Every structure is written in structure tokens, then in C-alpha cells.
């Protein structure tokens, strides 16, 4: 048995991060009854993750920001109710604590003082529930991003909290994994009376699991609240216009000429490995041309991100070669031999975790890093940065700390940082992660324009909508074999 189902009450509640002019959330009034299953929606930056972090008691103290109003769990201040809420974050890496899978899942239970025998029973049940069929001593360092997300969910489920908080729990999962984790959560809820609050851009995935939808308004307060079908019928068009992913409302796809230019990069019998000596894929042959997008798809753990980093010149091939004659400009053709300054104007890389590439204290300074490394003047740097901030809806966040942005804002910033140096080839790992419908459309349109201008793109992605509208070729990876498929376009 876990904790009793928890209630949530917000009365005029708001939070503003330290150093930010605008409020992440404000004027929030709502009540969630014990046992309710709530889908929390809102445009990127509306404060969904902030609210979940506050409910979990991990938002920080007065030195981290300013709080107004009340936020209560079972009548007590949320920050004093730790242990009654379990949170799965957007970034699963931030929740991996220990070196082995079993120990990591057991960590929360140990902190709650659960008896040893009961801990290991819960650990095995939780791993089964999320479909992570690995030995208990399997190294957490060898898990893919999607596998780490399942691990984080298992750790929270093992604690059996009265309030289950899920922040984009399927964002890094392949399509089969999305359904698997959704069904795992549904099974857990059927076996308990826990209250659920889930933040997710894949609205249709959770529509039949939840019994209530709450939509946060970007300027504060609640935009819509009610039973899922009632909210959709009454406010579907308005929600779609506000950036909420609404079933049946598909963002408009950008038009493209889809003309291939010169070859930028090719592989010869390539084998890739994240850890030296541990090959995850071999026999890879592919090409990337100017003006074309190659989508790399496949299940979690297939080696997609490893392939992306190898193509980008950031991982040495295990065998075979990556040749970038169309980018070398007199350098040796293999990108792994290029210095970081030489890569800047040739291949731009966006990592799966945006925070892995943030190194400064403000959004503007983050965008300026590459330009300053190239020795560009402040005038030229501003000329490149300002349009990017406006186009990707970051201008109001210029002085904000990158680490305080929402998940979708962090992703847009990470994409913008590599565009400042204007590389001919972009290698993007999950470029549309965390985007609402409006920013997804704008980001995809921007990438389409880059293709029309002659850039090449490699997109590692689970986003089938992105593949459908942007990819010219799809390179599908599986755990046992590789296959390629040309994407036919009208």
C-alpha cells in the first residue's frame, strides 16, 4: 500500500524565478480532489513544470525565487509535504542517482524507511510495470535517454506516493515505449487511489487515462478546466491557437522545393560506439546533401544519438569513416580531426539534453558564445543573435538564466546557439522536444527555410510529425539491424 490519495489546493499562487522580471506562474486558483487524474496543459512557458516542481517541494527557497499565495497538499504547505508527492522530471539524467539499475530504483524507498524485503519486491514490480527488462546490477551509465526515463518512473512508482507528478514522462520514448509507459501508469493508478497530475504535449496519449484537463494561461490563471471531452468541445480551437496540442488540430506543414544540392557528408562502412570497444551499430552507409534532411529514427537504445554524435565529429568512429568533403574547405575530410573552432562553422550539434551545452548565466550570453569564439564584433554578434531570439520566442528571456527556462524554451535556445555560427550541416537530437503546437510549427518552418537556403540537416527523432513534414530520407535503426527508407514526397 502507498500513501493515501492527496488533495491539491492553489489560492492566488505564483512563483517568479530569481532575477526574472516575469512570473513563471501567477494568480493560480484551483482544487484537485484526492484520486483525480489530471492532464495539465498550456503553451510552452506557461508554468506547467514550475507548478509540478512546487508540488514536489523542489522549487527552492527564497534565494531561488519569490512565491505568493498558497499551494497546499492535504492542507499543508507543499514544501513541507515532501514524501507525499513523487515527481518524474523532464530530464531523466537529473534523477539517476546510483550506478546500478536496482539500487537507483530502491533509492527513494530507502529514504522513506521501507523495510528491505519490501523494497526489493517494489523494485522488481516497478521495473516490470515500466517495461525495463534489465538485470538489477545493469549499469545506469549504459542506459539510453528513453531507458533512463523509464528508470526514473520506476523509482517514483516504487515509492507509492499519494500524489504522482509526471513531467513529460514519454518525451524521449519511441512510439511503442510511449504506449508502454502510459499503460504502466494506468495499471498503477488502477491498483492505487493516488492522485495524478501529468504534463504532456502528446495530449492524445493521455486523453482516455485522465478524467480532468486543466489548461494554464500563459499570462497567469487557468484558461480551461473540465472533463477532457467537454474542454475539447468548448475550447478546442482556442486552445489550439494558444499552442496546446489538441487532437484533430494538426499544425500546418511548411512548403519546400526539396531540391538536393552538393554532397556534404557520407559514411563508409561506419561502426559507432559510445564507449570504446562496445560497438552498438556497424555497416552504416548514408549520405547527407545540401538542402536535404535525413531523419534517424528507431527504438530507444538502438544507437541513434551515438550515430548523430559520430556524424557530428564528436565521437570517433569505432571503424569505417565519416567523410565531409563538402564541408572540409581544405581540411582533412574526417570531422573527428577538426578542432572545435573549425566545427563551429561547419557542423552544429544540438544534444539530446539541452543543458549539456549551456555554459553561461544568461540567454543572450549563451547565444554569443560561438560568435565570440569566432572573433566576431559585438555589432555582428548582435546582428546574428537578435533575429534568432525574436524568431524562436526568446527575446523576453534575454537576461534569464538558461537553466531556469522551461523544457521547450531550453530546446529552442539550444537550437539557436548552433545557428549563430551558421554551419552548413546541423545534427539535431530531438529538436522538437517540449514544444507546444505553435512553437513546433515555427521551429519546423525555420528548419525548412534553412534547408531551402542550402543547409543539410540530420534529425534524430521520435517525432513522426517532424519526419512526415521535413525528412527527405529516413534512416531507421533497430536493435538488431539497420534499414533505410526513402520518404516519397509529392
Amino acid at each position: 500500500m502507498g500513501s493515501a490519495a492527496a488533495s491539491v489546493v492553489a489560492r492566488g499562487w505564483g512563483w517568479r524565478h530569481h532575477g526574472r522580471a516575469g512570473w513563471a506562474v501567477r494568480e493560480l486558483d484551483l482544487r484537485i480532489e484526492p484520486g483525480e487524474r489530471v492532464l495539465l496543459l498550456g503553451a510552452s512557458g506557461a508554468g506547467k513544470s514550475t507548478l509540478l516542481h512546487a508540488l514536489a517541494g523542489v522549487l527552492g527557497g527564497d534565494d531561488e525565487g519569490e512565491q505568493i499565495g498558497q499551494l497546499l497538499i492535504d492542507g499543508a504547505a507543499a514544501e513541507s509535504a515532501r514524501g507525499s508527492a513523487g515527481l518524474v522530471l523532464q530530464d531523466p539524467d537529473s534523477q539517476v542517482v546510483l550506478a546500478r539499475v536496482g539500487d537507483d530504483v530502491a533509492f527513494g524507498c530507502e529514504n522513506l524507511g521501507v523495510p528491505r524485503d519490501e523494497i526489493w519486491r517494489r523494485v522488481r514490480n516497478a521495473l516490470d510495470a515500466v517495461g525495463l527488462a534489465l538485470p538489477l546490477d545493469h549499469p545506469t551509465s549504459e542506459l539510453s535517454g528513453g531507458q533512463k526515463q523509464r528508470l526514473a518512473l520506476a523509482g517514483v512508482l516504487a515509492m507509492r506516493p499519494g500524489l504522482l507528478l509526471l513531467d513529460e514522462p514519454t518525451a524521449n520514448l519511441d512510439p511503442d515505449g510511449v504506449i508502454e509507459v502510459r499503460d504502466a501508469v494506468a495499471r498503477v493508478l488502477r491498483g492505487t487511489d493516488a492522485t495524478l497530475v501529468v504534463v504532456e504535449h502528446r495530449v492524445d496519449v493521455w486523453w482516455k487515462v485522465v478524467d480532468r484537463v486543466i489548461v494554464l494561461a500563459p499570462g497567469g490563471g487557468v484558461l480551461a478546466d473540465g472533463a477532457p471531452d467537454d474542454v475539447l468541445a468548448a475550447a478546442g480551437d482556442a486552445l489550439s491557437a494558444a499552442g496546446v496540442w489538441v487532437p484533430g488540430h494538426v499544425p500546418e506543414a511548411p512548403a519546400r522545393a526539396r531540391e538536393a544540392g552538393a554532397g556534404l557528408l557520407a559514411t563508409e562502412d561506419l561502426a559507432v560506439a559510445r564507449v570504446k570497444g562496445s560497438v552498438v551499430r556497424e555497416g552504416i552507409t548514408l549520405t547527407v546533401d545540401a538542402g536535404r534532411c535525413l531523419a534517424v529514427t528507431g527504438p530507444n537504445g538502438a544507437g541513434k544519438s551515438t550515430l548523430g554524435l559520430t556524424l557530428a565529429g564528436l565521437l570517433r568512429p569505432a571503424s569505417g569513416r565519416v567523410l565531409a568533403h563538402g564541408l572540409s574547405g581544405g581540411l582533412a575530410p574526417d570531422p573527428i580531426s577538426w578542432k572545435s573552432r573549425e566545427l563551429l562553422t561547419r557542423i552544429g550539434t544540438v544534444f539530446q539534453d539541452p543543458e549539456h551545452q549551456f555554459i553561461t548565466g544568461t540567454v543572450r550570453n549563451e547565444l554569443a558564445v560561438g560568435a565570440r569564439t569566432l572573433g566576431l564584433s559585438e555589432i555582428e554578434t548582435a546582428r546574428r543573435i537578435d533575429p534568432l531570439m525574436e524568431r524562436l520566442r526568446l527575446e523576453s528571456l534575454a537576461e534569464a538564466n538558461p537553466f531556469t527556462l522551461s523544457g521547450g524554451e531550453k530546446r529552442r535556445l539550444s537550437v539557436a546557439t548552433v545557428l549563430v555560427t551558421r554551419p552548413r550541416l546541423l545534427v539535431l537530437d530531438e529538436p522538437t522536444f517540449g514544444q507546444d503546437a505553435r512553437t513546433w510549427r515555427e521551429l519546423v518552418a525555420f528548419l525548412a527555410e534553412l534547408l531551402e537556403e542550402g543547409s543539410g540537416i540530420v534529425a534524430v527523432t521520435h517525432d513522426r510529425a517532424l519526419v512526415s513534414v521535413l525528412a527527405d530520407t529516413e534512416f531507421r535503426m533497430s536493435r538488431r539491424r539497420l534499414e533505410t527508407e526513402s520518404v516519397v514526397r509529392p
Side-chain angles (χ1 to χ4, degrees):
M1 294 293 292
S3 302
S7 65
V8 173
V9 174
R11 297 192 185 109
W13 184 77
W15 173 269
R16 177 166 57 188
H17 293 284
H18 179 70
R20 297 275 286 271
W23 290 82
V25 182
R26 66 172 187 164
E27 299 176 1
L28 182 62
D29 293 288
L30 59 82
R31 178 178 180 85
I32 299 173
E33 300 295 342
E36 280 194 296
R37 308 342 189 179
V38 176
L39 177 61
L40 186 65
L41 301 177
S44 179
K48 304 180 297 295
S49 294
T50 299
L51 176 56
L52 259 61
H53 289 186
L55 289 170
V58 297
L59 204 50
D62 294 341
D63 56 334
E64 297 291 332
E66 177 185 355
Q67 182 174 219
I68 57 172
Q70 290 182 303
L71 186 64
L72 310 174
I73 299 177
D74 287 337
E79 60 267 26
S80 66
R82 292 175 184 170
S84 60
L87 170 66
V88 176
L89 298 169
Q90 283 180 336
D91 172 18
D93 275 319
S94 64
Q95 290 186 259
V96 176
V97 179
L98 298 174
R100 298 185 299 184
V101 164
D103 293 340
D104 196 80
V105 177
F107 182 75
C109 292
E110 290 172 343
N111 280 287
L112 294 177
V114 177
R116 179 179 177 83
D117 290 345
E118 172 67 9
I119 286 176
W120 291 107
R121 189 176 69 82
R122 291 190 187 187
V123 166
R124 292 184 179 89
N125 288 342
L127 288 171
D128 287 344
V130 301
L132 197 57
L134 294 171
L136 296 182
D137 61 355
H138 186 86
T140 54
S141 61
E142 295 181 8
L143 299 178
S144 71
Q147 289 171 322
K148 288 176 182 175
Q149 205 153 11
R150 297 189 204 192
L151 179 70
L153 178 58
V156 168
L157 294 181
M159 295 166 62
R160 301 185 180 176
L163 176 60
L164 181 59
L165 306 169
L166 307 180
D167 193 350
E168 300 275 7
T170 66
N172 287 328
L173 298 181
D174 56 64
D176 289 342
V178 168
I179 301 304
E180 199 170 84
V181 169
R182 188 275 314 275
D183 290 348
V185 172
R187 286 195 301 272
V188 169
L189 293 174
R190 285 195 296 269
T192 71
D193 58 357
T195 305
L196 170 71
V197 181
V198 55
V199 170
E200 178 65 86
H201 283 285
R202 305 174 195 239
V203 174
D204 53 332
V205 172
W206 295 94
W207 207 253
K208 299 301 182 183
V209 175
V210 301
D211 49 38
R212 182 179 175 188
V213 172
I214 298 174
V215 186
L216 298 186
V222 174
L223 185 63
D225 184 0
D229 291 339
D230 293 344
V231 169
L232 179 60
D237 291 340
L239 295 178
S240 181
V244 176
W245 283 99
V246 177
H249 294 69
V250 180
E252 182 180 353
R256 284 186 52 209
R258 299 186 183 277
E259 295 181 2
L264 299 179
L265 179 145
T267 67
E268 293 181 352
D269 197 25
L270 178 68
V272 298
R274 184 68 66 100
V275 179
K276 186 176 181 180
S278 180
V279 174
V280 293
R281 284 295 171 273
E282 58 188 2
I284 301 172
T285 300
L286 53 79
T287 60
V288 185
D289 297 329
R292 307 286 277 181
C293 175
L294 167 69
V296 179
T297 64
N300 295 117
K304 301 185 300 299
S305 295
T306 300
L307 173 59
L309 292 172
T310 306
L311 296 178
L314 300 177
L315 277 181
R316 187 172 299 280
S319 64
R321 303 181 72 187
V322 175
L323 300 173
H325 292 288
L327 300 169
S328 59
L331 300 175
D334 48 334
I336 193 65
S337 68
W338 300 347
K339 297 177 182 178
S340 58
R341 183 185 175 93
E342 294 165 342
L343 279 170
L344 274 177
T345 55
R346 292 171 170 84
I347 304 178
T349 306
V350 172
F351 299 129
Q352 187 177 69
D353 181 353
E355 294 186 356
H356 287 175
Q357 58 197 101
F358 296 158
I359 59 174
T360 74
T362 70
V363 166
R364 179 174 288 279
N365 285 338
E366 197 65 46
L367 289 168
V369 168
R372 289 168 179 165
T373 301
L374 294 178
L376 301 182
S377 68
E378 290 301 313
I379 293 176
E380 176 60 21
T381 297
R383 186 177 293 128
R384 295 190 181 195
I385 286 175
D386 291 345
L388 278 174
M389 286 199 299
E390 180 179 359
R391 184 70 185 271
L392 296 178
R393 295 182 181 271
L394 297 171
E395 67 271 27
S396 65
L397 302 169
E399 302 307 316
N401 187 313
F403 293 93
T404 67
L405 303 183
S406 73
E409 291 164 347
K410 288 176 183 175
R411 172 51 77 213
R412 297 200 299 282
L413 175 58
S414 67
V415 172
T417 59
V418 304
L419 297 178
V420 172
T421 58
R422 299 176 180 173
R424 290 287 311 285
L425 177 64
L426 299 174
V427 178
L428 312 176
D429 199 336
E430 297 290 358
T432 54
F433 164 73
Q435 300 309 306
D436 63 46
R438 180 173 55 182
T439 56
W440 183 94
R441 181 178 60 248
E442 292 168 350
L443 181 56
V444 171
F446 192 18
L447 295 177
E449 289 178 16
L450 294 175
L451 290 169
E452 294 299 296
E453 293 168 3
S455 297
I457 293 176
V458 176
V460 175
T461 185
H462 290 304
D463 185 348
R464 294 308 307 177
L466 175 69
V467 174
S468 175
V469 303
L470 205 66
D472 299 288
T473 303
E474 182 177 351
F475 194 75
R476 294 180 177 174
M477 302 181 70
S478 75
R479 293 187 179 90
R480 293 182 299 277
R481 59 189 175 88
L482 294 173
E483 58 184 11
T484 59
E485 176 183 305
S486 295
V487 181
V488 180
R489 302 299 182 195

